[in-house]
């Protein structure tokens, strides 16, 4: 049994939603496009899961955050897909792909064939077991990648008002979940091996700004150590967390955010991989000309850096999706993807944006005891990265524009003195 489509999007996350909208804008016909997703719901804005979804009041719930609301575009509800003749195959895992035959085999035994395939399989959360710790399946141990995970965190929070949560990991997920837990009046201890939070992006100075704020909200940080085991009661619930430094922390719930791994498994040995993802060119096309890769799973050339990167951020998922569809539908008119890497986060009432690359020397600016702080990264005499907390729309646009221009910087002291003013006058 099988069905055939001109275009198939494999994966139903952020990139899939934005690709679907772009397909309709460029005139895909009824019945030509199909989206296959393991998730039981139509594509949604994944970042909402650690933010609005976990709030105690005015919680974000579907359908309010289906794509593409994150970019002030249309909200693509299941009805929208139906009206546009797009087949949504939900709750269905693809278990194998045959790129030679151009077919996908689903776990339900159906073969779906394509002329063009967009791989948008994203990434999965790394499990503690991959680091030699068991207990991930305990009822009150939570990860956060999809709606099911977010519901689990929400239920765990509801079941322990005023209780203790241990957050393992000091990256995006850890920081955003810790803030949401505190807002829900849960006591939070964050545990991570690095010297400071957001170690892949923040400088020690920026990190301490956020850590101080978190501490003022009651969060405790335990750094430089890792989880070694859980104490689990006869009901299968974690009651305490043992750390490698010997400490024992009582726990009513645990949230684990220790990184992600791109979902490339279906294509290993069939497509060229790079940086842990599917290698694509400036048109988001893989080593097989009928297959494109977008979002977290794609390693694409970043012109500005002169090298390929795999980015795990929502803006890159949205834009790579649009560009791939443009390249598929109008190849002659579509140039190379020219992307300025952009990350953001919102925690408590704070909000930051980062553009570019965090390499080279750093210049900080702003009042680190106030609400607006920032930094520039300067590499080989050029400004390559910009960070800003608490900016206005115009200020964020200014740092983005400045980073894209890559201006030469002769005097770091002068750049520090000008601070945000530098971006505003470039
Ligand atoms: P995903 O959105 O992960 O979608 C992948 C889809 O593929 C899923 O539907 C999955 O079920 C499906 N799939 C995978 N394998 C199969 C298979 N074999 N068969 C069928 N379906 C399959 N980024 C930011 O820049 N800022 C933020 O503030 C931010 N917050 C975030 C908060 C959370 C809680 C999370 C989890 C991520 C956050 N991100 C953030 C990252 C951002 O959400 C991702 O970069 C983005 O979702 C990537 O989109 P994608 O379409 O590539 O992958």
């Amino acid at each position: 049994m099988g069905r055939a489509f001109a275009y198939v999007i494999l994966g139903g996350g952020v990139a899939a939603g934005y690709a679907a909208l772009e397909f309709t804008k460029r005139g895909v016909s009824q019945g030509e496009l199909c989206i296959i997703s393991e998730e039981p719901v139509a594509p949604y804005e994944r970042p909402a899961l650690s933010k609005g979804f976990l709030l105690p009041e005015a919680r974000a719930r579907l359908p309010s955050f289906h794509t593409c609301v994150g970019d002030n575009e249309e909200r693509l509800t299941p009805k929208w897909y139906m009206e546009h003749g797009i087949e949504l195959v939900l709750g269905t895992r693809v278990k194998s792909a045959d790129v030679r035959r151009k077919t996908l085999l689903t776990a339900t035994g159906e073969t779906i064939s394509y002329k063009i395939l967009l791989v948008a399989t994203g990434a999965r959360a790394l499990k503690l077991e991959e680091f030699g710790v068991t207990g991930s399946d305990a009822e009150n141990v939570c990860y956060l990648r999809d709606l099911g995970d977010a519901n689990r965190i929400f239920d765990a929070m509801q079941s322990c008002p005023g209780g203790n949560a241990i957050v393992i990991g000091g990256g995006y997920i850890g920081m955003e979940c810790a803030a949401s837990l505190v807002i829900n009046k849960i006591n939070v201890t964050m545990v991570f091996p690095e010297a400071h939070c957001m170690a892949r992006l923040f400088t020690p100075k920026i990190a301490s700004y956020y850590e101080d704020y978190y501490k003022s909200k009651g969060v405790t940080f335990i750094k430089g150590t890792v989880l070694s085991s859980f104490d689990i009661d006869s009901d299968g619930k974690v009651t305490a967390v043992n750390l490698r430094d010997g400490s024992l922390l009582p726990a009513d719930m645990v949230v684990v955010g220790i990184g992600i791994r791109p979902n490339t498994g279906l294509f290993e040995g069939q497509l060229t991989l790079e940086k842990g993802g599917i290698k694509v060119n400036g048109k988001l096309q893989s080593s097989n000309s009928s297959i494109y890769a977008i979002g977290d799973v794609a390693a694409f050339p970043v012109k500005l850096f002169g090298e390929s990167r795999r980015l795990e951020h929502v803006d890159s998922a949205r834009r790579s999706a649009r560009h791939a569809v443009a390249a598929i539908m109008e190849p002659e008119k579509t140039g190379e993807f020219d992307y300025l890497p952009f990350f953001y986060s919102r925690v408590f009432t704070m909000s930051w944006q980062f553009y570019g690359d965090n390499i080279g020397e750093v210049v900080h600016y702003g009042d680190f005891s106030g609400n607006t702080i920032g930094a520039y990264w300067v590499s080989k005499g050029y400004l390559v990265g910009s960070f800003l907390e608490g900016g206005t729309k115009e200020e964020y646009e200014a740092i983005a524009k400045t980073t894209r221009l890559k201006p030469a910087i002769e005097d770091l002291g002068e750049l520090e003195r000008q601070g945000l003013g530098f971006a505003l006058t470039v």
Side-chain angles (χ1 to χ4, degrees):
M1 224 210 30
R3 283 185 281 176
F5 295 89
Y7 310 107
V8 171
I9 303 173
L10 169 52
V14 172
Y18 283 77
L21 184 62
E22 195 65 31
F23 267 120
T24 60
K25 283 183 181 171
R26 289 176 186 270
V28 82
S29 307
Q30 298 253 337
E32 273 193 324
L33 173 63
C34 161
I35 297 179
I36 313 172
S37 177
E38 197 169 0
E39 293 187 82
V41 293
Y44 56 88
E45 303 285 355
R46 203 164 298 283
L49 298 180
S50 53
K51 304 176 184 73
F53 193 92
L54 298 180
L55 291 181
E57 283 156 30
R59 293 164 203 149
R61 287 291 179 274
L62 289 175
S64 75
F65 60 96
H66 277 302
T67 60
C68 298
V69 285
D71 243 4
N72 296 326
E73 294 267 11
E74 264 180 280
R75 186 157 55 93
L76 315 186
T77 58
K79 188 161 161 258
W80 180 91
Y81 290 94
M82 215 171 67
E83 284 167 0
H84 287 80
I86 298 170
E87 191 76 27
L88 271 186
V89 182
L90 300 178
T92 304
R93 188 172 62 82
V94 168
K95 62 173 195 184
S96 66
D98 184 333
V99 307
R100 221 170 31 83
R101 293 205 165 118
K102 298 190 178 185
T103 56
L104 304 171
L105 178 63
T106 71
T108 51
E110 188 183 8
T111 299
I112 295 180
S113 58
Y114 58 83
K115 289 201 180 96
I116 298 284
L117 175 67
L118 275 96
V119 183
T121 45
R124 64 176 177 82
L126 284 173
K127 289 287 170 82
L128 287 168
E129 280 69 9
E130 292 166 79
F131 297 86
V133 176
T134 53
S136 278
D137 47 5
E139 190 187 310
N140 54 347
V141 172
C142 309
Y143 290 83
L144 185 51
R145 184 70 197 180
D146 60 24
L147 199 60
D149 296 336
N151 274 317
R152 197 175 154 105
I153 295 186
F154 192 79
D155 292 346
M157 282 193 318
Q158 301 285 86
S159 72
C160 65
N164 297 316
I166 312 300
V167 173
I168 308 289
Y172 252 106
I173 296 293
M175 292 298 279
E176 293 194 2
C177 286
S180 293
L181 288 159
V182 166
I183 294 168
N184 282 278
K185 300 195 165 52
I186 308 272
N187 304 308
V188 176
T189 302
M190 293 191 71
V191 178
F192 48 86
E194 298 89 1
H196 62 76
C197 69
M198 296 291 292
R200 285 203 291 169
L201 177 62
F202 286 180
T203 64
K205 191 172 164 99
I206 296 174
S208 74
Y209 176 84
Y210 289 95
E211 287 179 15
D212 286 348
Y213 189 84
Y214 272 58
K215 284 181 205 161
S216 78
K217 295 280 177 187
V219 174
T220 304
F221 287 90
I222 302 183
K223 302 188 258 187
T225 189
V226 292
L227 168 71
S228 61
S229 66
F230 292 127
D231 289 358
I232 298 183
D233 69 11
S234 54
D235 294 334
K237 270 187 149 183
V238 168
T239 55
V241 164
N242 295 289
L243 303 185
R244 193 171 294 162
D245 71 4
S247 38
L248 175 81
L249 310 172
D252 297 300
M253 64 181 287
V254 178
V255 178
V256 184
I258 51 175
I260 60 173
R261 175 89 16 104
N263 291 319
T264 54
L266 295 171
F267 300 98
E268 272 156 33
Q270 302 197 77
L271 299 178
T272 306
L273 303 184
E274 186 182 30
K275 304 213 159 143
I278 296 173
K279 181 181 171 148
V280 293
N281 61 21
K283 306 230 173 194
L284 286 313
Q285 192 173 33
S286 74
S287 54
N288 178 309
S289 61
S290 306
I291 303 181
Y292 293 71
I294 53 181
D296 284 6
V297 79
F300 61 86
V302 178
K303 276 190 179 180
L304 214 59
F305 304 158
E307 62 174 45
S308 275
R309 294 278 172 97
R310 199 183 54 71
L311 302 173
E312 299 169 352
H313 299 284
V314 73
D315 183 65
S316 145
R318 293 170 181 159
R319 288 180 197 261
S320 61
R322 288 187 174 130
H323 198 88
V325 175
I328 291 165
M329 305 284 278
E330 292 185 274
E332 293 83 24
K333 285 198 199 153
T334 307
E336 308 274 299
F337 189 40
D338 186 8
Y339 183 65
L340 171 67
F342 163 49
F343 322 144
Y344 75 91
S345 181
R346 291 196 305 270
V347 285
F348 297 108
T349 53
M350 306 163 100
S351 168
W352 58 258
Q353 297 194 4
F354 171 84
Y355 294 88
D357 209 1
N358 59 331
I359 52 165
E361 289 178 274
V362 189
V363 166
H364 296 96
Y365 62 83
D367 174 6
F368 274 71
S369 56
N371 294 330
T372 306
I373 62 158
Y376 297 115
W377 280 259
V378 177
S379 175
K380 298 181 182 145
Y382 292 94
L383 188 150
V384 294
S386 304
F387 173 91
L388 178 61
E389 159 67 48
T392 62
K393 188 167 170 282
E394 291 70 32
E395 288 165 346
Y396 287 127
E397 280 166 10
I399 63 161
K401 186 172 140 236
T402 304
T403 312
R404 185 170 270 293
L405 286 171
K406 221 176 166 181
I409 302 294
E410 278 161 19
D411 184 346
L412 292 180
E414 178 58 17
L415 181 64
E416 184 174 11
R417 199 189 57 71
Q418 288 191 30
L420 184 56
F422 178 79
L424 293 169
T425 50
V426 156

